[in-house]
Amino acid sequence: MYKIYCLNNISPEGLALLTDNYEVTENIDEADAILVRSADMHEMEVPANLKAVARAGAGVNNIPLDKFAEAGIAVFNTPGANANAVKELVLAGMLLASRDIIGGVAWVRDNADDENVGKAAEKAKKQFAGGEILGKTLGVIGLGAIGKLVAQAAGAVGMKVIGYDPAMDEITVHEQISPTVEFADLPKVLKESDFITIHVPALPATKGMINADAIAQMKDGVVFLNFSRDVLVDDAAMAEALESGKVAAYVTDFANPAVVKMERAIVIPHLGASTAEAEDNCAKMAVEEVMAYLERGEKIHCVN
């Protein structure tokens, strides 16, 4: 009998996949495997018999990969399981940035006690006017599980899409994503896009890659969206670009003390993968990975 410990709440849809050979335990000391979402495991003392950790999500910066590898503990993640949820929020982010929906909704709430709010709204609405995304150019940095879906969806709503990914070539992009996506280098994406969305992992080579030099190459009035990792963007450079108007809006899914004070920043509280469907998908994949490893030694999406 294998013992499974849940460090965070895990979707019942995933746990339902466990067979009679498994038992969910409340005692971490007897766990053969741990299922985790966002809990920080870096300082944790783990049981000696622990064999596997599965993260119900893509990012694994809350797990000490090297430490666990040295201890013989396999770590798994669930790439792509939440991709559609993030894709949909990226589309929402573009619409929020191109039209002042947030400002308009706030105005209505502020005038909720006005008997003539309908008439007043007709006069006030011009201050919230915006633009459309149809015909605009979207630059996608990173064409993995999420970037691919964003590129396809943007094309479907009439945007021109330029994509950059150092791990791909033009043939791969056209065959696996869409023949209408223009494959380009990073400078071209920065220079020609009206909207730019980034979907790359946080690595030494990517941390701070959206810095003052990168922003200087962008169009005046560009909208930048970050639903990947906050450390990819240099906060000081972005704040300066927003203040000067170089960047019209910064949409980020990562609140921190710097971004919440930025003018024209739309800060979302990390809702990218926060859908019932995404949580179910991640839990199912994590459970299947653990079972495959414990029973057959298979390493599906092993990251260490």
Side-chain angles (χ1 to χ4, degrees), residues 7-51:
L7 199 54
N8 296 108
N9 289 329
I10 300 296
S11 164
E13 296 243 350
L15 297 178
L17 297 179
L18 293 170
T19 66
D20 293 340
N21 295 326
Y22 295 85
E23 176 186 341
V24 177
T25 180
E26 295 186 2
N27 181 6
I28 192 173
D29 291 332
E30 63 180 14
D32 295 291
I34 291 176
L35 300 176
V36 61
R37 291 172 60 197
S38 59
D40 190 343
M41 300 187 71
H42 283 275
E43 303 302 324
M44 280 185 59
E45 291 293 330
V46 296
N49 62 314
L50 185 68
K51 304 171 184 66

Side-chain angles (χ1 to χ4, degrees), residues 64-89:
L65 301 182
D66 292 341
K67 174 184 172 182
F68 283 4
E70 291 173 4
I73 301 167
V75 178
F76 304 91
N77 70 343
T78 58
N82 58 17
N84 185 70
V86 179
K87 175 209 75 178
E88 291 186 2
L89 200 57

Side-chain angles (χ1 to χ4, degrees), residues 114-195:
D114 185 351
E115 300 183 337
N116 299 307
V117 65
K119 289 184 178 180
E122 291 301 318
K123 295 180 181 179
K125 68 181 183 181
K126 60 185 177 182
Q127 65 186 295
F128 308 114
E132 300 179 14
I133 63 175
L134 178 68
K136 302 299 193 302
T137 298
L138 172 66
V140 183
I141 302 173
L143 293 165
I146 297 171
K148 171 184 176 178
L149 294 184
V150 171
Q152 292 170 337
V157 296
M159 301 186 79
K160 177 183 176 182
V161 181
I162 303 177
Y164 163 74
D165 193 312
M168 293 188 179
D169 56 29
E170 186 173 16
I171 294 175
T172 302
V173 169
H174 288 171
E175 288 182 348
Q176 297 185 10
I177 300 178
S178 171
T180 63
V181 173
E182 180 182 348
F183 186 69
D185 58 16
L186 183 57
K188 182 178 176 69
V189 169
L190 297 175
K191 180 181 178 181
E192 298 187 6
S193 301
D194 302 299
F195 297 79

